[in-house]
Amino acid sequence: MTSAQEQTLGFQTEVKQLLHLMINSLYSNREIFLRELISNSADACDKLRYQALESDALYEGDPELRVEIEFDQEAKTVTVRDNGIGMNREDVIANLGTIARSGTAEFLKQMSGEQQKDARLIGQFGVGFYSGFIVADEVVVRTRQAGTSQEHGVEWRSKGEGEFTIVDIERAAHGTEIVLHLKEDALEFADEHRLKGLVRKYSDHIEVPVRMPTVQEGEDETDVTVTWETVNEAQALWVRPKSEVSDDEYKAFYKHVAHDFSDPLTWSHNKVEGKLEYTSLLYVPSRAPFDLYQREGARGLKLYVQRVFIIDDAEQFLPLYLRFVKGVVDSNDLSLNVSREILQQDPQVEKMKGALTKRALDMLGKLSKDSDTYQNFWNQFGGVLKEGPAEDHTNREKIGGLLRFASTHTDSSAQNQSLADYISRMKEGQQGIYYIIADSFNAARHSPHLEIFRKKGIEVLLLSDRIDEWLMTHFTEFDGKSLIDITRGDLDLGDIDSEEEKQAQQESAKAKEGLAERFREALGDQVQEVRVTHRLTESPACVVLPENEMGYQMRRLMEAAGQPVPEVKPILEFNPDHALVSRLEGSEGDAFTDLAHVLFDQAVIAEGGQLDDPAAYVRRLNAMLTH
């Protein structure tokens, strides 16, 4: 042993809380510890295989990568070891003393104290190593990074009570060995049949062989033969024919790939042959990871070339709006020694990206035929899918068919109406798909702009997500129908309005030209124009944006982000049949000016806007109420 100092260090506060949760909340899922540790060991073997492409000296004369599991009933231990890449002292402190991924605080915020819910959460946060503490009251890790000398071994030891000890050791073998000192109520795992059953249940699909010793005693007590038996199939699941892979195997492989405790919603396994040869296995998770909206969050597919692991999170094979899709792509046509930059410029990658994107969208299309399951998907990932039309012009129509919206058809905040559903309910003579964007569902549902649509029974999509205006800027047509914002420009209901109604609107506008001019003069440069409306049936006035101006929602988002926003003057439309407008028409002087401003300010507030001078609005309103 070297004389390097022994260090006792404290866990991060978040890790302490996490260990408490792992140790106390997961008794119903205890057996998953073995799956997590084997999965980590298999990843370490994959990484060594990739690095050894440049220098096979890293194998140190032991190129047969494997995971080994042993148990000792007397010592009450289970040991999981691999001859993978291993870790140095800094790696050990970084990986086992902290949770290296961002978002840990968010994870802890989501913990509820409900065992089942918290157990599901753990899989979203990539903390599989700590699952060892579910069954062990002490965990010992011995490791050495491949390619370093024997005196660079490291031992890490902890009882999961807030601190860990780390010391340099001599270690002949590279790779990592984890020794679990089992709790008294977990001794069931120090059993050959139990461990083999768990390996076959959870890790059959892993390409690295998982081996266990079989001890045979001869007639003489000292005549003991130990043979190592490969317990798992040790064949990459994605290279097997679909007909030979069971649903349970697909689900188990997903949990290995995604480090998720939950089953996937669906998957697609496909082999492409011809000019471009590759195999893909894509999964749609059942719940969103915590870092779905974090730019630095891990995303992408596991990339293999001829079953040699290359990159863990290859982002180049799917567009950003499909970043929730997990899985594997294995190609025969990509150069083995690619760097990320070269990979991005490889024309084969672009072709594969286009094909895999279509494959993923087709998978979602099939999923959408099951409305309940698809609703679960949409609730988790709908906001991300809405990024699609702006990012992927080629597949805009296909993405449009997958979008779901709230609508006046149900008047529910649930986003469960497709554009195809909307089109099937369109009125005869209706020109397009109508929608309104607001800061909240209630603001959209109660907007004055909906009044004429409700009166005529015309459905309107109610959009209130932060991304919705960005979406609609890039998504202007679906199935030959234009998408029309009811708060912009002139409202033309086309053939839905009868000739008599159109004639009446023209006559009303002409009759109120004088009032409109007085109204505009009273408001001065606050408005671009004042005109009679036929949008309103109950409200006195509403504000309308010019056709090509940035919407209110986008303006507020940009202002909040500190971005300069060009000034826009809205158009004020008033309802000539409303009592307040009649009162306005009969007013003169200051009374007219005050009421004109009150009506304009109310229209801005109803739109979710902010007043430049709220105190003036209150003063005018109070003066009107006291007269």
Side-chain angles (χ1 to χ4, degrees):
M1 185 179 243
T2 66
S3 59
Q5 81 278 17
E6 180 176 302
Q7 276 183 288
T8 299
L9 303 170
F11 284 113
Q12 282 184 337
T13 305
E14 294 93 335
V15 179
K16 290 182 190 176
Q17 293 175 261
L18 179 65
L19 287 172
H20 179 78
L21 171 68
M22 300 293 274
I23 294 165
N24 296 301
S25 296
L26 291 182
Y27 288 106
S28 60
N29 290 326
R30 303 182 91 184
E31 61 188 36
I32 54 88
F33 81 92
L34 192 63
R35 181 190 79 200
E36 293 302 302
L37 296 182
I38 291 173
S39 185
N40 288 347
S41 291
D43 285 347
C45 291
D46 277 343
K47 284 167 182 165
L48 176 57
R49 184 187 285 121
Y50 176 51
Q51 291 194 19
L53 292 171
E54 293 185 2
S55 172
D56 60 6
L58 291 175
Y59 284 128
E60 298 179 11
D62 185 16
E64 189 187 335
L65 297 174
R66 62 195 176 274
V67 179
E68 295 178 347
I69 301 173
E70 290 186 276
F71 65 93
D72 186 330
Q73 288 179 331
E74 289 185 15
K76 303 176 184 176
T77 61
V78 170
T79 301
V80 180
R81 78 171 64 87
D82 64 72
N83 61 341
I85 192 66
M87 293 180 282
N88 59 29
R89 188 182 183 100
E90 290 72 28
D91 292 336
V92 170
I93 294 173
N95 294 333
L96 306 187
T98 66
I99 298 178
R101 296 177 62 180
S102 60
T104 310
E106 179 65 25
F107 163 63
L108 293 165
K109 197 190 302 177
Q110 292 183 39
M111 291 192 330
S112 63
E114 273 181 65
Q115 289 188 17
Q116 279 193 320
K117 183 179 175 188
D118 289 344
R120 289 197 303 268
L121 269 175
I122 285 170
Q124 294 174 254
F125 285 80
V127 289
F129 166 75
Y130 299 104
S131 64
F133 286 101
I134 302 171
V135 296
D137 50 25
E138 183 176 21
V139 176
V140 180
V141 179
R142 299 184 185 95
T143 184
R144 178 170 67 79
Q145 190 173 52
T148 60
S149 54
Q150 293 187 11
E151 66 267 19
H152 286 94
V154 182
E155 180 178 284
W156 180 97
R157 181 183 296 267
S158 177
K159 294 187 176 179
E161 294 174 349
E163 61 184 26
F164 59 90
T165 301
I166 185 167
V167 62
D168 291 351
I169 61 170
E170 282 196 14
R171 179 170 162 79
H174 64 271
T176 302
E177 173 182 87
I178 299 173
V179 182
L180 305 174
H181 293 265
L182 297 173
K183 299 176 180 179
E184 288 298 322
D185 62 355
L187 297 181
E188 62 179 287
F189 296 107
D191 176 82
E192 181 179 3
H193 296 295
R194 183 81 166 103
L195 291 173
K196 283 184 176 178
L198 291 179
V199 171
R200 292 187 178 115
K201 179 178 180 181
Y202 289 118
S203 305
D204 220 26
H205 54 272
I206 290 178
E207 190 177 11
V208 179
V210 180
R211 309 195 315 183
M212 287 184 64
T214 301
V215 178
Q216 295 175 325
E217 295 183 0
E219 294 180 9
D220 185 350
E221 286 186 10
T222 59
D223 183 17
V224 176
T225 305
V226 178
T227 58
W228 288 88
E229 174 194 357
T230 298
V231 182
N232 63 331
E233 286 267 345
Q235 181 186 11
L237 177 136
W238 63 88
V239 303
R240 291 161 55 190
K242 285 191 278 190
S243 58
E244 295 179 11
V245 185
S246 69
D247 285 357
D248 286 341
E249 286 178 304
Y250 277 123
K251 291 174 184 176
F253 183 66
Y254 165 74
K255 291 172 183 175
H256 164 65
V257 169
H259 297 288
D260 191 351
F261 282 54
S262 308
D263 288 337
L265 284 179
T266 187
W267 57 86
S268 176
H269 187 183
N270 188 49
K271 185 172 184 180
V272 175
E273 295 177 322
K275 287 185 179 178
L276 193 63
E277 292 194 1
Y278 65 91
T279 301
S280 64
L281 176 51
L282 307 180
Y283 289 94
V284 176
S286 58
R287 58 179 40 83
F290 73 98
D291 55 1
L292 184 65
Y293 291 99
Q294 293 181 6
R295 295 195 67 83
E296 70 277 13
R299 54 180 168 267
L301 305 176
K302 279 183 177 285
L303 171 64
Y304 290 77
V305 173
Q306 296 177 356
R307 292 187 293 287
V308 175
F309 171 77
I310 304 296
I311 299 175
D312 210 13
D313 300 305
E315 301 173 6
Q316 298 89 343
F317 294 96
L318 287 172
L320 195 59
Y321 72 92
L322 292 176
R323 59 185 174 272
F324 53 84
V325 174
K326 301 293 184 185
V328 167
V329 58
D330 187 346
S331 171
N332 293 335
D333 297 310
L334 298 177
S335 174
L336 273 179
N337 57 350
V338 288
S339 69
R340 286 176 183 265
E341 291 74 24
I342 296 171
L343 190 60
Q344 286 168 340
Q345 294 165 10
D346 191 328
Q348 302 284 28
V349 171
E350 279 304 309
K351 292 177 185 174
M352 290 171 65
K353 179 178 181 179
L356 289 169
T357 299
K358 284 189 170 66
R359 174 73 48 185
L361 293 175
D362 288 344
M363 182 168 54
L364 294 176
K366 289 178 184 174
L367 187 67
S368 68
K369 291 178 170 54
D370 180 342
S371 57
D372 290 340
T373 306
Y374 191 75
Q375 195 60 44
N376 179 26
F377 160 79
W378 182 261
N379 293 342
Q380 295 290 323
F381 301 107
V384 179
L385 203 59
K386 285 181 176 182
E387 298 172 13
E391 187 183 345
D392 187 355
H393 297 267
T394 306
N395 294 299
R396 191 178 293 171
E397 190 82 3
K398 194 172 277 192
I399 299 165
L402 297 171
L403 300 178
R404 297 294 182 268
F405 301 95
S407 158
T408 55
H409 178 68
T410 59
D411 255 357
S412 161
S413 60
Q415 296 182 14
N416 54 13
Q417 300 300 307
S418 71
L419 294 177
D421 292 336
Y422 181 104
I423 290 172
S424 70
R425 296 189 290 260
M426 282 173 62
K427 293 275 185 186
E428 188 177 344
Q430 186 174 336
Q431 294 180 328
I433 299 169
Y434 294 106
Y435 68 89
I436 184 171
I437 300 174
D439 283 343
S440 68
F441 169 73
N442 279 330
R445 184 173 56 151
H446 296 131
S447 171
H449 289 279
L450 291 176
E451 291 173 7
I452 189 65
F453 292 89
R454 291 193 186 278
K455 179 182 177 182
K456 290 183 174 289
I458 302 171
E459 184 176 354
V460 179
L461 302 178
L462 306 173
L463 279 57
S464 55
D465 287 349
R466 290 179 61 155
I467 194 173
D468 281 336
E469 190 169 339
W470 171 255
L471 163 67
M472 288 307 183
T473 302
H474 296 87
F475 187 54
T476 56
E477 186 178 285
F478 177 76
D479 195 19
K481 305 285 191 299
S482 296
L483 282 96
I484 301 169
D485 185 347
I486 66 171
T487 66
R488 292 174 187 264
D490 290 322
L491 180 63
D492 182 5
L493 295 179
D495 295 342
I496 295 175
D497 278 341
S498 66
E499 286 302 320
E500 292 79 9
E501 287 174 314
K502 290 178 181 177
Q503 184 68 28
Q505 290 163 14
Q506 290 173 1
E507 291 174 359
S508 176
K510 193 164 188 180
K512 300 295 181 182
E513 279 179 355
L515 176 60
E517 182 58 27
R518 290 175 64 203
F519 212 154
R520 195 196 65 73
E521 288 176 1
L523 295 175
D525 61 2
Q526 287 184 281
V527 293
Q528 185 180 126
E529 183 185 349
V530 177
R531 65 193 183 200
V532 172
T533 188
H534 59 283
R535 301 172 197 261
L536 305 176
T537 59
E538 298 172 9
S539 301
C542 65
V543 287
V544 177
L545 284 174
E547 192 68 48
N548 297 313
E549 284 290 349
M550 184 186 297
Y552 288 114
Q553 187 194 53
M554 183 69 77
R555 294 177 67 83
R556 285 189 283 273
L557 286 174
M558 291 187 69
E559 285 169 351
Q563 297 290 325
V565 179
E567 185 183 358
V568 60
K569 294 179 182 179
I571 297 165
L572 181 70
E573 295 190 355
F574 63 90
N575 178 0
D577 300 323
H578 197 278
L580 279 176
V581 173
S582 299
R583 180 175 169 184
L584 177 70
E585 195 168 17
S587 302
E588 298 290 342
D590 290 344
F592 182 93
T593 302
D594 285 348
L595 183 51
H597 277 92
V598 166
L599 290 177
F600 172 68
D601 288 347
Q602 285 182 341
V604 171
I605 292 170
E607 207 60 46
Q610 291 184 328
L611 303 181
D612 286 337
D613 190 353
Y617 167 70
V618 172
R619 177 178 53 76
R620 290 188 181 109
L621 188 61
N622 287 344
M624 288 173 55
L625 291 173
T626 53
H627 280 83

